[in-house]
Amino acid sequence: MGASDPEVAPWARGGAAGMAGAGAGAGARGGAAAGVEARARDPPPAHRAHPRHPRPAAQPSARRMDGGSGGLGSGDNAPTTEALFVALGAGVTALSHPLLYVKLLIQVGHEPMPPTIGTNVLGRKVLYLPSFFTYAKYIVQVDGKIGLFRGLSPRLMSNALSTVTRGSMKKVFPPDEIEQVSNKDDMKTSLRKVVKETSYEMMMQCVSRMLAHPLHVISMRCMVQFVGREAKYSGVLSSIGKIFKEEGLLGFFVGLIPHLLGDVVFLWGCNLLAHFINAYLVDDSFSQALAIRSYTKFVMGIAVSMLTYPFLLVGDLMAVNNCGLQAGLPPYSPVFKSWIHCWKYLSVQGQLFRGSSLLFRRVSSGSCFALE
């Protein structure tokens, strides 16, 4: 997440991912393919009705009567359950914030500590940059322990807004009418159902992302102030005023397009891959078929989140680029004309996956560090 997150987990878009963020989110991207088997069993056959005594019409389900989506979030418990989800999300966001904070500083290219010499598996000497723990310790030395939570407030608000938005959309557009995938469906029917479910998830994810993105931008800018020791963005309300005055309304949505593209690619890639793997590669005659299918979606989420990481990186860099902070100006970063310009620049530099690893960080060949 990046540093997404109504991220999606910070580093896996919540998929993945909580990976943000960030944010922000992995359960929000759940697909249809992971729960195919759990919904595949047909209900027991009903008793045959007597020809003179026709069976009474079926009563509407409880979740249709109360207007909710069933489960914990239905009926009178819906507000309480939504508040519980917001509280749990806030706790996870707060605990994972130092991880996202360090990740963002690495993404913008801030390396305050020199690399160390180590050896790889072949015994050759290589340069390693500080890991997450070393980087976090450095932040504590500079700003204290509270410094690890710089930019947390707007991020909490962003994730809460995203959760509330998704809950409200489920009430306005209930998913009850979406047909569930069954293993008795033929390939064409099951694929149609997966496409319908994924389209519904994509709609919710895109709307919640757009509404929460202004707070995400503020959170990113608050965090990267560590680089130049600035204090331009100190609070949510004052930051809103500064951005609107200097950049206008569009300033709240810089970096939104690559984030949206990453979310869409993640959802479709994860759901369709999991569906085709479960349908074509997992044989029903295999004794562990149900167990394997239950983990397919999880594994695909990790794999697809790695492939979509460049979208997360570009979106976060655009959020802080040319905003008056040192981290978004040369020499840390060129002034990008668009997110495509940023993508091309990172691609030429071989930095499209910068910050994707926080433990074993080798110095790239294009780095300014040299092995003596």
Side-chain angles (χ1 to χ4, degrees):
M1 192 246 301
S4 257
D5 132 68
E7 305 317 0
V8 329
W11 62 276
R13 299 181 179 274
M19 312 266 52
R29 296 173 172 178
V36 170
E37 294 75 20
R39 302 189 293 261
R41 299 188 181 92
D42 293 328
H47 295 289
R48 185 184 303 275
H50 195 278
R52 295 184 180 179
H53 301 282
R55 187 169 51 194
Q59 298 297 320
S61 64
R63 63 179 181 176
R64 181 65 73 179
M65 292 173 64
D66 62 29
S69 57
L72 292 174
S74 61
D76 297 335
N77 292 330
T80 304
T81 305
E82 186 171 289
L84 178 61
F85 284 143
V86 171
L88 290 175
V92 173
T93 300
L95 291 175
S96 64
H97 188 75
L99 184 71
L100 182 139
Y101 183 22
V102 171
K103 187 184 192 70
L104 179 62
L105 294 179
I106 294 174
Q107 286 179 333
V108 299
H110 185 54
E111 300 290 351
M113 294 167 287
T116 57
I117 300 177
T119 56
N120 58 14
V121 292
L122 300 178
R124 300 180 59 181
K125 289 185 178 181
V126 292
L127 288 176
Y128 286 100
L129 292 167
S131 65
F132 161 75
F133 300 101
T134 306
Y135 211 126
K137 185 178 179 180
Y138 171 79
I139 295 176
V140 172
Q141 292 174 350
V142 176
D143 282 344
K145 293 181 179 179
I146 195 66
L148 288 173
F149 298 94
R150 181 194 293 261
L152 176 61
S153 297
R155 185 165 174 246
L156 288 174
M157 297 171 64
S158 173
N159 288 359
L161 178 59
S162 177
T163 302
V164 172
T165 300
R166 297 180 69 88
S168 300
M169 290 188 64
K170 285 184 179 180
K171 296 176 183 178
V172 177
F173 305 102
D176 301 345
E177 298 179 359
I178 297 180
E179 301 175 88
Q180 304 296 338
V181 179
S182 170
N183 60 4
K184 295 183 181 298
D185 295 333
D186 56 36
M187 286 304 303
K188 185 176 181 179
T189 302
S190 62
L191 180 60
R192 176 179 57 82
K193 293 179 180 180
V194 171
V195 169
K196 191 173 182 179
E197 288 191 30
T198 306
S199 300
Y200 179 80
E201 296 168 12
M202 181 182 68
M203 176 192 68
M204 290 198 301
Q205 178 65 20
C206 290
V207 172
S208 62
R209 168 73 72 179
M210 287 187 290
L211 293 179
H213 192 75
L215 291 168
H216 174 75
V217 171
I218 294 174
S219 178
M220 297 292 103
R221 295 185 179 185
C222 288
M223 286 188 275
V224 298
Q225 289 182 135
F226 178 84
V227 176
R229 312 305 299 162
E230 298 107 336
K232 181 178 180 180
Y233 301 95
S234 56
V236 175
L237 294 179
S238 61
S239 298
I240 291 175
K242 285 186 176 68
I243 294 176
F244 185 77
K245 181 180 179 180
E246 297 178 1
E247 305 172 50
L249 189 61
L250 294 179
F252 295 103
F253 298 96
V254 288
L256 175 62
I257 294 179
H259 275 298
L260 287 177
L261 290 176
D263 291 340
V264 171
V265 173
F266 176 88
L267 278 173
W268 285 100
C270 186
N271 286 6
L272 291 179
L273 282 175
H275 171 71
F276 287 125
I277 289 175
N278 289 338
Y280 288 104
L281 300 182
V282 181
D283 193 346
D284 290 332
S285 62
F286 185 55
S287 60
Q288 301 298 324
L290 291 179
I292 294 177
R293 284 172 174 159
S294 64
Y295 286 102
T296 303
K297 186 64 176 294
F298 174 75
V299 175
M300 288 299 99
I302 296 177
V304 177
S305 67
M306 295 174 61
L307 295 177
T308 57
Y309 178 82
F311 291 100
L312 174 69
L313 173 62
V314 172
D316 288 344
L317 291 183
M318 291 303 298
V320 301
N321 188 252
N322 196 26
C323 65
L325 299 177
Q326 184 176 335
L329 296 170
Y332 281 95
S333 170
V335 175
F336 299 116
K337 300 177 181 178
S338 65
W339 71 270
I340 298 178
H341 179 202
C342 179
W343 184 294
K344 291 180 178 179
Y345 173 82
L346 293 174
S347 178
V348 171
Q349 298 293 324
Q351 298 289 318
L352 275 176
F353 291 89
R354 185 170 65 193
S356 60
S357 175
L358 296 179
L359 294 179
F360 303 101
R361 303 173 52 224
R362 289 185 54 181
V363 175
S364 62
S365 57
S367 174
C368 59
F369 298 111
L371 182 62
E372 297 181 357

